[in-house]
Amino acid sequence: MTSASLSGVDELECDPHLRAVQAVAAASRVGPLYLVGGYLRDLLIGRTRVRRIDLDLVIWGKPELFGRDLVTALEGSLIRLEPETVRAIVRSAGMIVQIDISRSKGETIEDDLALRDFTVNAMAVRLNLPDRQAGELAAVIIDPAGGLNDLREKRLRALAPSAFDLDPLRLIRAIRLAAELGFTIEETTRRWIIERASLLGTVAGERLRDELFRILDTVPAAPWIEHLDVLQL
């Protein structure tokens, strides 16, 4: 664990969506519950989402049971995505809030984070500690891969070359994230992408379309389209 010093750390304490999840977790008495992924990353760099809120939670209990408690408390709906993942959809202040709840893919949260794509997405914060007062979140980030430093350096770095083998969509997602965040793709990661560029042909067209449209939605988009060519995508 490491104490973060980025501008958005204070948002962990007052973010209304996290406080709502924490309140339901306290009432449900679930096991360890962690916020992971892009929403945490964006909070830490002070990036505001204006269209849709996407939270990713990792749980050691049963995702569907906690999901039911969540949508009951927040007046939403629940969708089963996979045997170990459910999605809660609620509305908050006129905005759609999507909360994916998954069972951990490892014995520890560090094991789960090791299977993710980029270091800036491989961080976590626990939302429910037994000795924490209600409504209080800790600004202590679990960061085994050095994602906080990459955030400070505005650098996108893959955890391992196998990240692209596990899901080749991550090849183009690297461009999309760099475009949206204004980050530089680290040199070793660039090499891994070029070496595996042919794997992109195995990805479903609609998934590629969604990533491409998000790249086109950045301003300016042209340099990032050129990046697709440079990285042989």
Side-chain angles (χ1 to χ4, degrees), residues 169 172 200-213:
L169 184 69
I172 193 171
L200 203 60
T202 66
V203 179
E206 60 270 19
R207 299 183 74 206
L208 290 173
R209 175 202 61 205
D210 292 346
E211 294 289 338
L212 180 59
F213 279 6

Side-chain angles (χ1 to χ4, degrees), residues 13-33:
E13 301 293 339
C14 60
D15 183 87
H17 310 295
L18 300 187
R19 291 172 72 90
V21 169
Q22 188 193 26
V24 175
S28 303
R29 299 187 181 277
V30 298
L33 176 68

Side-chain angles (χ1 to χ4, degrees), residues 157-220:
R157 179 166 59 92
L159 286 169
S162 58
F164 300 113
D165 300 322
L166 291 172
D167 185 359
L169 184 69
R170 292 168 172 172
L171 294 162
I172 193 171
R173 183 177 294 158
I175 304 293
R176 189 260 294 173
L177 282 173
E180 290 182 341
L181 300 173
F183 282 16
T184 299
I185 301 175
E186 179 253 355
E187 191 57 40
T188 299
T189 299
R190 292 171 65 89
R191 186 176 73 248
W192 291 340
I193 291 173
I194 291 171
E195 291 171 352
R196 290 161 175 79
S198 63
L199 294 177
L200 203 60
T202 66
V203 179
E206 60 270 19
R207 299 183 74 206
L208 290 173
R209 175 202 61 205
D210 292 346
E211 294 289 338
L212 180 59
F213 279 6
R214 290 181 68 173
I215 293 172
L216 291 171
D217 202 32
T218 61
V219 179

Side-chain angles (χ1 to χ4, degrees), residues 1-224:
M1 295 186 186
T2 182
S3 295
S5 60
L6 294 162
S7 60
V9 166
D10 291 342
E11 297 298 322
L12 289 169
E13 301 293 339
C14 60
D15 183 87
H17 310 295
L18 300 187
R19 291 172 72 90
V21 169
Q22 188 193 26
V24 175
S28 303
R29 299 187 181 277
V30 298
L33 176 68
Y34 294 88
L35 173 70
V36 301
Y39 192 71
L40 175 58
R41 175 202 69 219
D42 288 353
L43 278 178
L44 291 172
I45 60 176
R47 181 171 180 247
T48 302
R49 301 191 182 193
V50 296
R51 296 179 181 175
R52 190 180 70 184
I53 300 293
D54 296 317
L55 279 72
D56 292 298
L57 305 179
V58 171
I59 193 172
W60 264 255
K62 295 182 178 180
E64 189 162 350
L65 290 180
F66 181 64
R68 288 175 184 170
D69 290 340
L70 200 59
V71 297
T72 297
L74 304 181
E75 300 181 351
S77 57
L78 191 68
I79 302 170
R80 179 181 291 178
L81 300 180
E82 300 173 1
E84 300 291 352
T85 302
V86 297
R87 174 172 294 166
I89 300 176
V90 301
R91 287 189 175 273
S92 175
M95 183 180 296
I96 295 176
V97 181
Q98 178 176 291
I99 307 171
D100 286 356
I101 309 160
S102 303
R103 188 187 294 272
S104 173
K105 296 178 176 62
E107 294 295 323
T108 66
I109 187 61
E110 289 82 4
D111 293 338
D112 183 274
L113 295 175
L115 297 175
R116 297 183 180 271
D117 49 8
F118 304 101
T119 61
V120 295
N121 294 334
M123 298 179 288
V125 62
R126 184 164 175 182
L127 299 181
N128 62 336
L129 284 173
D131 58 349
R132 184 179 296 155
Q133 295 180 358
E136 181 181 294
L137 296 180
V140 178
I141 310 301
I142 301 168
D143 178 27
L148 281 171
N149 188 57
D150 285 335
L151 281 181
R152 295 186 187 100
E153 299 295 328
K154 296 187 176 182
R155 176 174 54 222
L156 193 69
R157 179 166 59 92
L159 286 169
S162 58
F164 300 113
D165 300 322
L166 291 172
D167 185 359
L169 184 69
R170 292 168 172 172
L171 294 162
I172 193 171
R173 183 177 294 158
I175 304 293
R176 189 260 294 173
L177 282 173
E180 290 182 341
L181 300 173
F183 282 16
T184 299
I185 301 175
E186 179 253 355
E187 191 57 40
T188 299
T189 299
R190 292 171 65 89
R191 186 176 73 248
W192 291 340
I193 291 173
I194 291 171
E195 291 171 352
R196 290 161 175 79
S198 63
L199 294 177
L200 203 60
T202 66
V203 179
E206 60 270 19
R207 299 183 74 206
L208 290 173
R209 175 202 61 205
D210 292 346
E211 294 289 338
L212 180 59
F213 279 6
R214 290 181 68 173
I215 293 172
L216 291 171
D217 202 32
T218 61
V219 179
W224 300 106

